[in-house]
Amino acid sequence: MSLVVMKRAGSAETFQRLISLNNVHTAAVVSMEYIIVLGKYKVAKDRLYTKTHEWIKILDNEAIVGITDYAQQKLKNIVGVELPEVGTVIERGARLGVVESIKSVEDVYAPVTIKVTDVNKKLEEEPDLINRDPYGDGWIVRGEVLNRDEVKELLSPEEYAKHVESEEHG
């Protein structure tokens, strides 16, 4: 499995579409920020990660949470999503939601303590958005980060890529 860091030179929206199409060669040409490609898995460098394969993108005190490209590929075809209620406070490591695929049902855990301010209602009708665009339209919740110190305990993109590599190679 090879580890590649690519610089993006186009719009973030274009890049997200290319990522979701798994078009690595084009993404290398059209990008603006960085991404790590680990074999067939992609790790966005503008997020932090958990060992249980959730990502979090911090925007001041708000955060967006989803599952990683690695997680969605392991689950295969996602057919259902259970979302939390807006207003719910979810402690770090507690169940944030559930993702159901044709292969299994998996819990999604809160990377940090978060007060849910929005859920991705599109997933109720199109749960496969997570497969098609795990780092974009496939986000699961938005929320207020209630404990900033917990952010320090998350994995960097490089650490997460090494974690995935160790899982793949036992």
Side-chain angles (χ1 to χ4, degrees):
M1 193 175 289
S2 62
L3 181 67
V4 178
V5 178
M6 298 187 303
K7 183 164 176 144
R8 299 193 305 180
S11 78
E13 289 173 11
T14 301
F15 184 68
Q16 287 296 340
R17 281 193 296 274
L18 292 170
I19 289 173
S20 65
L21 296 172
N22 291 320
N23 194 335
V24 175
H25 298 294
T26 307
V29 174
V30 189
S31 12
M32 172 172 174
E33 293 172 62
Y34 291 92
I35 188 161
I36 298 170
V37 176
L38 186 62
K40 64 181 179 177
Y41 307 114
K42 295 161 193 70
V43 178
K45 287 199 67 175
D46 63 347
R47 290 141 220 268
L48 297 170
Y49 297 88
T50 67
K51 288 184 177 180
T52 53
H53 308 291
E54 292 84 15
W55 59 260
I56 184 168
K57 183 173 183 177
I58 306 288
L59 309 165
D60 296 322
N61 276 346
E62 183 187 44
I64 304 169
V65 178
I67 65 170
T68 65
D69 182 50
Y70 178 80
Q72 70 81 19
Q73 285 193 49
K74 289 295 183 186
L75 285 167
K76 303 228 186 270
N77 299 332
I78 295 174
V79 296
V81 178
E82 181 183 308
L83 302 169
E85 294 288 325
V86 170
T88 305
V89 173
I90 302 170
E91 297 291 323
R92 178 184 64 154
R95 190 176 90 177
L96 179 79
V98 176
V99 176
E100 180 182 352
S101 74
I102 59 171
K103 186 175 175 180
S104 68
V105 176
E106 297 292 332
D107 289 337
V108 177
Y109 301 101
V112 296
T113 302
I114 191 169
K115 180 177 182 182
V116 177
T117 58
D118 193 15
V119 296
N120 189 349
K121 292 201 180 283
K122 286 183 186 178
L123 296 178
E124 293 172 348
E125 297 296 319
E126 295 180 82
D128 65 324
L129 276 174
I130 294 173
N131 292 119
R132 294 192 322 253
D133 194 6
Y135 296 121
D137 289 340
W139 62 274
I140 297 172
V141 302
R142 288 179 178 264
E144 177 186 349
V145 176
L146 298 180
N147 185 343
R148 297 289 293 186
D149 289 337
E150 293 172 346
V151 172
K152 297 173 193 169
E153 298 175 35
L154 297 169
L155 301 175
S156 70
E158 295 79 10
E159 291 168 328
Y160 178 70
K162 288 178 184 171
H163 174 67
V164 168
E165 192 166 35
S166 71
E167 281 197 9
E168 284 291 290
H169 298 299

